[in-house]
Amino acid sequence: MYYYVYKTTNAINNKFYIGVHKHFTPYDKSYLGSGITLKRAITKHGIENFHKEILAYHGTHDEAYKHEELLVTYEVINLELCYNMVIGGKGGQRGLP
């Protein structure tokens, strides 16, 4: 199993989404993210205008979430260019401070 932190970017407006994914292969090219605002943007702008990059691989899901927590902070989710809606560390289960 592969656990990784990724960043999906909209090539039209440079907005981004950072998340954690696990998969049986090192790169799941069909998965861009599960965020509501990201999915709406993909529908609006077309999947061809989004690209995903792997930021880091981790040995466990917990390690990947710890990394995401460092990257997706309260300050980051309040940037106009960020699709993330909650701070990182456990997907949509974490709330705002």
Side-chain angles (χ1 to χ4, degrees), residues 1-8 17-23 25-26 28 31-35 38 52-72 84 86-94:
M1 188 67 62
Y2 294 88
Y3 305 94
Y4 57 83
V5 177
Y6 64 91
K7 180 179 181 182
T8 298
Y17 180 85
I18 296 173
V20 170
H21 189 55
K22 73 175 183 176
H23 201 260
T25 63
D28 180 2
Y31 185 80
L32 293 175
S34 61
L38 175 64
K52 180 176 74 177
E53 61 184 300
I54 305 299
L55 302 179
Y57 288 95
H58 295 280
T60 67
H61 229 169
D62 286 341
E63 290 173 6
Y65 281 132
K66 286 178 185 175
H67 185 192
E68 181 193 28
E69 187 174 8
L70 295 174
L71 298 175
V72 185
N84 294 73
V86 297
I87 59 174
K90 282 289 182 187
Q93 298 173 4
R94 293 227 13 195

